Amino acid sequence: MTDEFSKLALPSIPFLDCQRIVLCRPSHPGNIGAVARAMKTMGLVSGAQLYLVNPLCAIDEVAVRRASGAADLVTECRIVQSLAEALGGCTGAFGMTVRARELGPEPLQPKAAVAAAKDHWHQGGEGGALSAFVFGNETHGLTNEELQHCRAEVSISTNPDYGSLNLGAAVQIITYLLREASGNQSAVDSGATRYASLLATVDAVEGFYKQLETALIQSGFHDPNRPRRLMPKIRRIFERTRLESDEVNILRGIISALNAAQKVD
Amino acid sequence: MTDEFSKLALPSIPFLDCQRIVLCRPSHPGNIGAVARAMKTMGLVSGAQLYLVNPLCAIDEVAVRRASGAADLVTECRIVQSLAEALGGCTGAFGMTVRARELGPEPLQPKAAVAAAKDHWHQGGEGGALSAFVFGNETHGLTNEELQHCRAEVSISTNPDYGSLNLGAAVQIITYLLREASGNQSAVDSGATRYASLLATVDAVEGFYKQLETALIQSGFHDPNRPRRLMPKIRRIFERTRLESDEVNILRGIISALNAAQKVD
C-alpha cells in the first residue's frame, strides 16, 4: 500500500453499488431474469447496474418471471446500442471469456479481477470508481472487438470436458465473489463457535474428568495400573470442544446416572 | 503433528470425486437439472455424487432438459429414503442454511466449509474421505432434524433484503469453491486441527449417539417422552470435536462398560 493510497478517503458509496453487470447481445429472456436474480441476492440491487447491449430477444414476461423478486432490475435495466456506452463512467472493465485470446487483454482469475475491482473502487476516492463485468452472448461469447474494450479478461475455471456454464450461473459466481470482497458478512460470522452458556472453568472440567475416571475404574474398563493412555485420550476429545458450564453439568449427570445404576449391584 | 498423521498418504482419488451433493425433498425438476449442470461444469461428474432424499417431484424431461449436457447426472443420480442413507460413508456433512439455528451444529462460512472438506479428504488417507453438502427443500430449507445429522451448518451471505438464492445457484457457488479448492493440492493448511487417527464417518458417530441414547434411557436419565432437548445438546458437544474413528471406539467402549454393569442389575 503506497502512502498516497493510504491517504485516500474511503469511498462513501458502497463497493457493491459501484459494480455493473453488462450483457452483450443476450438471446434468452430467461437468462436475463436469472442474471437479475443473481445480482440482487448478492446485493447488486439497482436496475442501473444491469446493462444490456443490443439484446437479441424481447425483455418479456419470461425474464420477469425468472427474475422472481428481482423483477425490478429487469424492468429498470439500461438497454444500450454499444459496449462503449455500457462502460461509460467505469474505470474497471473485465471481459468474461471461456479461454484467453491471443493478443487479448491481461488474463485474470475471477478472484484477482474482483480484487482489482476493489482496488479501483478504493482508489476512486470519495465517489468510488465503477467497474463493469462484461458477459458475451450465450452461444458465441464476446467478440474480439468487444474484448478489446475491456481492460482485463477473466475466465472461470470449468470442467475441461463440460464447460457449459449458464450465463446466470457465471454471473452468480462473479457476484458472489464481489459480495465476499465487499466485506459484508452474514450473521454466521468467521467460523467462530457460538456459545449457549459460559465456558466451563478449568476446575469444573477437571471435576468431570475425575468423576469419569472413578466411574471407569469401578466398571472395570479402566485399570490405573495399566492405563493405556486412556485418560489423556479422553481429555484430548473434550479439550478440543471447549466445554460450556451447562455441558459439563450434562456430562456429569450422564456419568452419575450410569454410575448410580452400577452401585446398585 | 503426530507421527501417525505425517504418515498419511495423499489420497489417490481426486478431491472433487470425493464430494457429494445431497438435495433433501427437492420439489422442482428444473432445479434438479440446474444442480446437475452446476456440478458437472465444476467437475463433479458422476451421478453417484448426486443424492436426492425423498424428492417431491418426478425426475422428468424438464430436469433432463435443464441439465443440458449434464443429463447423465440426472438419470444416474441416487434416490434414497433418508438423509442418513445419503450421508453413508461420508466423514464431512455440511448443512446449508439461510441462518444459523439455536443448538445447531458449528456455523461455517462457505470457504471454511470447503477448507474443512479438503481437510477431511486429505486426512482420509489413501482412499480420501467423502464429504456431503446438504441442501434443503426450495421453500422450507432443511428441517432441524436434518440439520442435526450434519456436522456443520453453512450459510452463503446474501442481500438481507432479498436472500432468495435459487437452489441451482447455491450449488453453483459451493461447487465453484470446491473446484477452486481442488486446484490447491498442498496438504493441510496451517491452523488446521491435527489428527491422530482417521476421522470417523457420519455412520460411526451416529452409531455412538444411538448407543448412548439407549443407555441413557435404560438408566432412567433420559425420557424420550420428555426429551428436554438432551440429545441435540449432546450432539452439539461432540460435533464440535470432529471425532476420530479411534475416539468413537473409546467412547463406545465407555458406554458399553457402564451399560454392561447396569444390565447385571
Side-chain angles (χ1 to χ4, degrees), chain A residues 96-137:
Chain A
M96 305 299 301
T97 60
V98 172
R99 63 190 67 78
R101 315 281 173 94
E102 211 184 334
L103 285 185
E106 181 190 14
L108 290 178
Q109 303 243 356
K111 259 193 189 168
V114 165
K118 190 85 187 270
D119 274 356
H120 278 291
W121 170 75
H122 192 210
Q123 296 178 22
E126 168 68 12
L130 305 178
S131 285
F133 287 81
V134 184
F135 296 78
N137 170 266

Short mmCIF file of all heavy atoms in Angstrom, two decimals, chain A residues 96-137:
data_model
loop_
_atom_site.label_atom_id
_atom_site.label_comp_id
_atom_site.label_asym_id
_atom_site.label_seq_id
_atom_site.Cartn_x
_atom_site.Cartn_y
_atom_site.Cartn_z
N MET A 96 -15.51 -11.36 -19.63
CA MET A 96 -15.56 -12.77 -19.28
C MET A 96 -15.38 -13.62 -20.54
O MET A 96 -16.13 -13.47 -21.50
CB MET A 96 -16.90 -13.12 -18.63
CG MET A 96 -17.25 -12.26 -17.42
SD MET A 96 -16.07 -12.39 -16.03
CE MET A 96 -16.16 -14.14 -15.68
N THR A 97 -14.39 -14.51 -20.52
CA THR A 97 -14.17 -15.38 -21.68
C THR A 97 -13.99 -16.81 -21.22
O THR A 97 -13.66 -17.07 -20.07
CB THR A 97 -12.89 -14.97 -22.46
OG1 THR A 97 -11.78 -15.07 -21.57
CG2 THR A 97 -13.00 -13.57 -22.99
N VAL A 98 -14.22 -17.74 -22.14
CA VAL A 98 -14.04 -19.14 -21.80
C VAL A 98 -12.55 -19.48 -21.77
O VAL A 98 -12.09 -20.22 -20.92
CB VAL A 98 -14.80 -20.05 -22.78
CG1 VAL A 98 -14.47 -21.51 -22.55
CG2 VAL A 98 -16.30 -19.82 -22.60
N ARG A 99 -11.82 -18.91 -22.70
CA ARG A 99 -10.36 -19.08 -22.63
C ARG A 99 -9.68 -17.82 -23.16
O ARG A 99 -10.25 -17.08 -23.95
CB ARG A 99 -9.90 -20.32 -23.40
CG ARG A 99 -10.16 -20.31 -24.88
CD ARG A 99 -9.88 -21.67 -25.48
NE ARG A 99 -10.83 -22.67 -25.02
CZ ARG A 99 -12.08 -22.78 -25.50
NH1 ARG A 99 -12.51 -21.96 -26.43
NH2 ARG A 99 -12.89 -23.71 -25.07
N ALA A 100 -8.46 -17.60 -22.66
CA ALA A 100 -7.73 -16.39 -23.03
C ALA A 100 -7.49 -16.35 -24.54
O ALA A 100 -7.21 -17.36 -25.17
CB ALA A 100 -6.41 -16.34 -22.27
N ARG A 101 -7.65 -15.15 -25.13
CA ARG A 101 -7.43 -14.99 -26.56
C ARG A 101 -6.00 -14.52 -26.82
O ARG A 101 -5.40 -13.81 -26.02
CB ARG A 101 -8.37 -13.90 -27.14
CG ARG A 101 -9.79 -13.97 -26.68
CD ARG A 101 -10.59 -15.02 -27.41
NE ARG A 101 -11.93 -15.13 -26.78
CZ ARG A 101 -12.99 -14.46 -27.21
NH1 ARG A 101 -12.92 -13.64 -28.23
NH2 ARG A 101 -14.15 -14.62 -26.61
N GLU A 102 -5.57 -14.90 -27.98
CA GLU A 102 -4.29 -14.38 -28.44
C GLU A 102 -4.44 -12.86 -28.58
O GLU A 102 -5.46 -12.37 -29.08
CB GLU A 102 -3.99 -14.99 -29.81
CG GLU A 102 -2.52 -15.15 -30.10
CD GLU A 102 -2.31 -15.67 -31.50
OE1 GLU A 102 -3.23 -16.32 -32.02
OE2 GLU A 102 -1.27 -15.40 -32.07
N LEU A 103 -3.44 -12.13 -28.12
CA LEU A 103 -3.46 -10.68 -28.20
C LEU A 103 -4.60 -10.03 -27.43
O LEU A 103 -4.91 -8.86 -27.63
CB LEU A 103 -3.50 -10.19 -29.66
CG LEU A 103 -2.20 -10.30 -30.45
CD1 LEU A 103 -2.36 -9.67 -31.83
CD2 LEU A 103 -1.06 -9.59 -29.69
N GLY A 104 -5.27 -10.79 -26.58
CA GLY A 104 -6.32 -10.20 -25.75
C GLY A 104 -5.70 -9.41 -24.62
O GLY A 104 -4.49 -9.36 -24.47
N PRO A 105 -6.55 -8.77 -23.81
CA PRO A 105 -6.03 -8.03 -22.65
C PRO A 105 -5.51 -8.98 -21.59
O PRO A 105 -5.58 -10.20 -21.73
CB PRO A 105 -7.25 -7.25 -22.16
CG PRO A 105 -8.44 -7.99 -22.69
CD PRO A 105 -8.01 -8.70 -23.93
N GLU A 106 -4.99 -8.40 -20.52
CA GLU A 106 -4.41 -9.17 -19.40
C GLU A 106 -5.39 -10.25 -18.90
O GLU A 106 -6.52 -9.94 -18.57
CB GLU A 106 -4.11 -8.19 -18.26
CG GLU A 106 -3.48 -8.83 -17.05
CD GLU A 106 -3.43 -7.85 -15.85
OE1 GLU A 106 -4.10 -6.81 -15.89
OE2 GLU A 106 -2.71 -8.16 -14.90
N PRO A 107 -4.96 -11.53 -18.85
CA PRO A 107 -5.85 -12.56 -18.32
C PRO A 107 -5.80 -12.61 -16.80
O PRO A 107 -4.73 -12.56 -16.20
CB PRO A 107 -5.29 -13.86 -18.92
CG PRO A 107 -3.86 -13.56 -19.20
CD PRO A 107 -3.69 -12.08 -19.32
N LEU A 108 -6.96 -12.71 -16.17
CA LEU A 108 -7.06 -12.74 -14.72
C LEU A 108 -7.98 -13.85 -14.27
O LEU A 108 -8.95 -14.19 -14.96
CB LEU A 108 -7.64 -11.42 -14.17
CG LEU A 108 -6.81 -10.14 -14.25
CD1 LEU A 108 -7.62 -8.98 -13.69
CD2 LEU A 108 -5.51 -10.31 -13.47
N GLN A 109 -7.70 -14.41 -13.10
CA GLN A 109 -8.65 -15.32 -12.46
C GLN A 109 -9.76 -14.47 -11.83
O GLN A 109 -9.54 -13.31 -11.49
CB GLN A 109 -7.94 -16.10 -11.36
CG GLN A 109 -6.75 -16.87 -11.85
CD GLN A 109 -6.93 -18.37 -11.68
OE1 GLN A 109 -7.93 -18.82 -11.12
NE2 GLN A 109 -5.97 -19.13 -12.17
N PRO A 110 -10.95 -15.06 -11.65
CA PRO A 110 -12.06 -14.29 -11.09
C PRO A 110 -11.71 -13.56 -9.79
O PRO A 110 -12.03 -12.37 -9.64
CB PRO A 110 -13.14 -15.36 -10.85
CG PRO A 110 -12.87 -16.40 -11.88
CD PRO A 110 -11.38 -16.43 -12.03
N LYS A 111 -11.03 -14.23 -8.88
CA LYS A 111 -10.69 -13.59 -7.61
C LYS A 111 -9.80 -12.37 -7.80
O LYS A 111 -9.95 -11.37 -7.12
CB LYS A 111 -9.94 -14.59 -6.72
CG LYS A 111 -10.77 -15.22 -5.67
CD LYS A 111 -9.82 -15.90 -4.70
CE LYS A 111 -10.57 -16.75 -3.73
NZ LYS A 111 -9.65 -17.63 -2.99
N ALA A 112 -8.84 -12.50 -8.73
CA ALA A 112 -7.92 -11.39 -8.97
C ALA A 112 -8.67 -10.23 -9.62
O ALA A 112 -8.40 -9.06 -9.33
CB ALA A 112 -6.77 -11.85 -9.87
N ALA A 113 -9.63 -10.55 -10.48
CA ALA A 113 -10.43 -9.50 -11.12
C ALA A 113 -11.25 -8.75 -10.08
O ALA A 113 -11.35 -7.52 -10.10
CB ALA A 113 -11.32 -10.10 -12.19
N VAL A 114 -11.85 -9.50 -9.17
CA VAL A 114 -12.66 -8.88 -8.12
C VAL A 114 -11.78 -8.03 -7.20
O VAL A 114 -12.16 -6.93 -6.79
CB VAL A 114 -13.45 -9.96 -7.34
CG1 VAL A 114 -14.01 -9.42 -6.05
CG2 VAL A 114 -14.55 -10.53 -8.23
N ALA A 115 -10.58 -8.53 -6.92
CA ALA A 115 -9.64 -7.74 -6.11
C ALA A 115 -9.26 -6.46 -6.85
O ALA A 115 -9.15 -5.39 -6.23
CB ALA A 115 -8.40 -8.57 -5.79
N ALA A 116 -9.09 -6.56 -8.17
CA ALA A 116 -8.78 -5.37 -8.96
C ALA A 116 -9.94 -4.38 -8.93
O ALA A 116 -9.74 -3.16 -8.81
CB ALA A 116 -8.45 -5.77 -10.40
N ALA A 117 -11.17 -4.89 -9.00
CA ALA A 117 -12.34 -4.01 -8.92
C ALA A 117 -12.39 -3.30 -7.57
O ALA A 117 -12.74 -2.12 -7.48
CB ALA A 117 -13.63 -4.82 -9.14
N LYS A 118 -11.99 -4.02 -6.52
CA LYS A 118 -11.97 -3.42 -5.18
C LYS A 118 -10.92 -2.30 -5.13
O LYS A 118 -11.18 -1.23 -4.56
CB LYS A 118 -11.66 -4.50 -4.15
CG LYS A 118 -11.83 -4.09 -2.70
CD LYS A 118 -13.25 -4.24 -2.21
CE LYS A 118 -13.47 -3.69 -0.80
NZ LYS A 118 -13.25 -4.67 0.26
N ASP A 119 -9.76 -2.55 -5.75
CA ASP A 119 -8.72 -1.52 -5.82
C ASP A 119 -9.24 -0.29 -6.57
O ASP A 119 -9.06 0.84 -6.13
CB ASP A 119 -7.48 -2.05 -6.56
CG ASP A 119 -6.54 -2.80 -5.63
OD1 ASP A 119 -6.81 -2.84 -4.42
OD2 ASP A 119 -5.54 -3.34 -6.13
N HIS A 120 -9.86 -0.54 -7.72
CA HIS A 120 -10.43 0.57 -8.50
C HIS A 120 -11.35 1.40 -7.62
O HIS A 120 -11.28 2.62 -7.58
CB HIS A 120 -11.23 0.03 -9.68
CG HIS A 120 -10.40 -0.34 -10.87
ND1 HIS A 120 -9.75 0.58 -11.64
CD2 HIS A 120 -10.13 -1.54 -11.42
CE1 HIS A 120 -9.10 -0.03 -12.62
NE2 HIS A 120 -9.32 -1.33 -12.51
N TRP A 121 -12.24 0.71 -6.96
CA TRP A 121 -13.24 1.38 -6.12
C TRP A 121 -12.57 2.23 -5.06
O TRP A 121 -12.87 3.42 -4.90
CB TRP A 121 -14.11 0.31 -5.44
CG TRP A 121 -15.03 0.83 -4.38
CD1 TRP A 121 -16.18 1.54 -4.55
CD2 TRP A 121 -14.86 0.68 -2.97
NE1 TRP A 121 -16.75 1.82 -3.34
CE2 TRP A 121 -15.96 1.31 -2.34
CE3 TRP A 121 -13.91 0.05 -2.16
CZ2 TRP A 121 -16.13 1.35 -0.96
CZ3 TRP A 121 -14.07 0.09 -0.78
CH2 TRP A 121 -15.17 0.73 -0.20
N HIS A 122 -11.61 1.62 -4.38
CA HIS A 122 -10.96 2.31 -3.28
C HIS A 122 -10.19 3.52 -3.77
O HIS A 122 -10.18 4.58 -3.15
CB HIS A 122 -10.03 1.35 -2.53
CG HIS A 122 -9.54 1.89 -1.23
ND1 HIS A 122 -8.35 1.57 -0.69
CD2 HIS A 122 -10.12 2.76 -0.36
CE1 HIS A 122 -8.20 2.21 0.47
NE2 HIS A 122 -9.26 2.93 0.68
N GLN A 123 -9.53 3.35 -4.92
CA GLN A 123 -8.68 4.42 -5.42
C GLN A 123 -9.48 5.47 -6.17
O GLN A 123 -8.93 6.47 -6.63
CB GLN A 123 -7.55 3.83 -6.27
CG GLN A 123 -6.67 2.97 -5.37
CD GLN A 123 -5.54 2.29 -6.11
OE1 GLN A 123 -5.14 2.73 -7.17
NE2 GLN A 123 -5.02 1.23 -5.53
N GLY A 124 -10.78 5.25 -6.28
CA GLY A 124 -11.63 6.26 -6.89
C GLY A 124 -11.95 7.38 -5.91
O GLY A 124 -12.64 8.34 -6.27
N GLY A 125 -11.44 7.26 -4.68
CA GLY A 125 -11.67 8.32 -3.70
C GLY A 125 -13.12 8.40 -3.25
O GLY A 125 -13.86 7.42 -3.34
N GLU A 126 -13.49 9.55 -2.78
CA GLU A 126 -14.80 9.80 -2.19
C GLU A 126 -15.96 9.15 -2.95
O GLU A 126 -16.83 8.50 -2.38
CB GLU A 126 -15.01 11.32 -2.10
CG GLU A 126 -16.42 11.79 -1.77
CD GLU A 126 -16.86 11.45 -0.34
OE1 GLU A 126 -16.01 11.05 0.47
OE2 GLU A 126 -18.07 11.56 -0.08
N GLY A 127 -15.98 9.32 -4.27
CA GLY A 127 -17.12 8.82 -5.05
C GLY A 127 -17.04 7.34 -5.40
O GLY A 127 -17.99 6.76 -5.89
N GLY A 128 -15.89 6.72 -5.14
CA GLY A 128 -15.70 5.33 -5.57
C GLY A 128 -15.54 5.32 -7.08
O GLY A 128 -15.91 6.27 -7.76
N ALA A 129 -14.97 4.26 -7.63
CA ALA A 129 -14.88 4.17 -9.09
C ALA A 129 -15.64 2.94 -9.52
O ALA A 129 -15.65 1.92 -8.83
CB ALA A 129 -13.42 4.09 -9.53
N LEU A 130 -16.27 3.05 -10.68
CA LEU A 130 -17.12 1.97 -11.17
C LEU A 130 -16.32 0.91 -11.91
O LEU A 130 -15.36 1.23 -12.61
CB LEU A 130 -18.18 2.53 -12.12
CG LEU A 130 -19.06 3.66 -11.59
CD1 LEU A 130 -20.01 4.14 -12.70
CD2 LEU A 130 -19.84 3.21 -10.37
N SER A 131 -16.76 -0.36 -11.77
CA SER A 131 -16.22 -1.43 -12.60
C SER A 131 -17.37 -2.17 -13.26
O SER A 131 -18.47 -2.26 -12.69
CB SER A 131 -15.42 -2.43 -11.76
OG SER A 131 -14.17 -1.89 -11.41
N ALA A 132 -17.09 -2.70 -14.44
CA ALA A 132 -18.10 -3.49 -15.16
C ALA A 132 -17.56 -4.89 -15.43
O ALA A 132 -16.39 -5.04 -15.80
CB ALA A 132 -18.45 -2.81 -16.48
N PHE A 133 -18.41 -5.90 -15.24
CA PHE A 133 -18.10 -7.26 -15.65
C PHE A 133 -18.94 -7.55 -16.89
O PHE A 133 -20.16 -7.45 -16.84
CB PHE A 133 -18.36 -8.23 -14.50
CG PHE A 133 -17.32 -8.11 -13.42
CD1 PHE A 133 -17.41 -7.10 -12.46
CD2 PHE A 133 -16.23 -8.96 -13.38
CE1 PHE A 133 -16.43 -6.96 -11.48
CE2 PHE A 133 -15.24 -8.83 -12.41
CZ PHE A 133 -15.34 -7.83 -11.45
N VAL A 134 -18.26 -7.87 -17.98
CA VAL A 134 -18.88 -7.92 -19.29
C VAL A 134 -19.02 -9.36 -19.77
O VAL A 134 -18.01 -10.08 -19.88
CB VAL A 134 -18.04 -7.11 -20.31
CG1 VAL A 134 -18.73 -7.07 -21.67
CG2 VAL A 134 -17.78 -5.70 -19.78
N PHE A 135 -20.25 -9.77 -20.02
CA PHE A 135 -20.54 -11.15 -20.43
C PHE A 135 -21.02 -11.18 -21.88
O PHE A 135 -21.85 -10.35 -22.27
CB PHE A 135 -21.62 -11.75 -19.52
CG PHE A 135 -21.18 -11.89 -18.08
CD1 PHE A 135 -21.17 -10.79 -17.24
CD2 PHE A 135 -20.78 -13.12 -17.58
CE1 PHE A 135 -20.76 -10.90 -15.91
CE2 PHE A 135 -20.38 -13.25 -16.26
CZ PHE A 135 -20.36 -12.14 -15.41
N GLY A 136 -20.53 -12.15 -22.65
CA GLY A 136 -20.90 -12.23 -24.07
C GLY A 136 -22.19 -12.98 -24.30
O GLY A 136 -22.85 -13.45 -23.37
N ASN A 137 -22.53 -13.08 -25.56
CA ASN A 137 -23.71 -13.85 -25.99
C ASN A 137 -23.58 -15.31 -25.54
O ASN A 137 -22.47 -15.87 -25.53
CB ASN A 137 -23.81 -13.76 -27.53
CG ASN A 137 -24.84 -14.71 -28.08
OD1 ASN A 137 -24.50 -15.84 -28.47
ND2 ASN A 137 -26.09 -14.29 -28.11
#
